[in-house]
Amino acid sequence: NEVIGNDRGVRLNRLSSNNVIRENQIDESLQYGVYIYDEASGNQILANQMADNETAVYLRSDFNLVSQNRISNSPHGIYLTGSTSGNQIVENDLASNAVAIYLKTDSDDFVLGNLFNDNQQNIQIADTWRLPVKIRPANISMNPGTTEPEPN
């Protein structure tokens, strides 16, 4: 399919779950190429060609997969809002975007194996993004099933 020159490309509304958007040409959308809206989970955006969109992929939902897409020449390639969780952004080819991947999420979204080429910024992390880090000194053993150190 070709989706070219629209205000909005493809939008999955609330509760539109477990859909596959695959092998489409999505270009020149004034707002977004693909928009996954609140409560639309378990969707897959796979092997699409997306160029010259304001935002190629806009995720506002949980547990979606964005993989093996070619995304280029956009102000935002892939944009994850502050209300997302558990999404996987894997093995995409992101080229000549202002910001290839924008993370405005908690840190449980998964980003791995993406190819970045000639972007102004490869990954931009919003100030609201936080990484929960639990540090445990190596010389303290933990009680099984707890986060409390064993008594010395």
Side-chain angles (χ1 to χ4, degrees):
N1 297 310
E2 292 184 355
V3 180
I4 299 173
N6 295 284
D7 285 340
R8 301 176 188 109
V10 177
R11 176 176 163 153
L12 296 181
N13 288 322
R14 289 178 194 256
L15 306 175
S16 297
S17 297
N18 303 311
N19 296 288
V20 177
I21 300 170
R22 181 193 308 250
E23 297 178 1
N24 298 287
Q25 181 74 39
I26 304 171
D27 295 341
E28 301 172 11
S29 297
L30 297 177
Q31 291 183 3
Y32 48 78
V34 176
Y35 184 151
I36 308 298
Y37 198 68
D38 295 338
E39 301 174 27
S41 63
N43 297 293
Q44 298 178 35
I45 304 167
L46 306 170
N48 297 286
Q49 302 291 319
M50 298 183 227
D52 302 307
N53 297 289
E54 181 64 27
T55 299
V57 177
Y58 188 91
L59 291 178
R60 190 175 163 171
S61 185
D62 302 333
F63 305 110
N64 297 288
L65 172 65
V66 180
S67 184
Q68 300 176 346
N69 298 286
R70 168 86 169 124
I71 297 172
S72 61
N73 300 318
S74 299
H76 289 100
I78 301 170
Y79 188 111
L80 283 79
T81 68
S83 59
T84 68
S85 170
N87 291 294
Q88 297 180 41
I89 311 301
V90 182
E91 298 178 353
N92 296 285
D93 182 357
L94 297 127
S96 303
N97 299 290
V99 177
I101 298 175
Y102 183 79
L103 299 173
K104 187 180 179 181
T105 67
D106 284 336
S107 60
D108 63 346
D109 289 302
F110 183 76
V111 178
L112 178 72
N114 296 285
L115 178 63
F116 299 97
N117 185 26
D118 199 31
N119 299 293
Q120 291 176 24
Q121 274 191 285
N122 292 329
I123 298 176
Q124 182 178 357
I125 299 172
D127 293 339
T128 57
W129 194 82
R130 61 189 180 281
L131 179 62
V133 177
K134 295 181 181 177
I135 299 173
R136 180 178 63 159
N139 63 347
I140 297 177
S141 60
M142 305 303 277
N143 285 323
T146 74
T147 58
E148 298 299 317
E150 289 179 358
N152 291 330

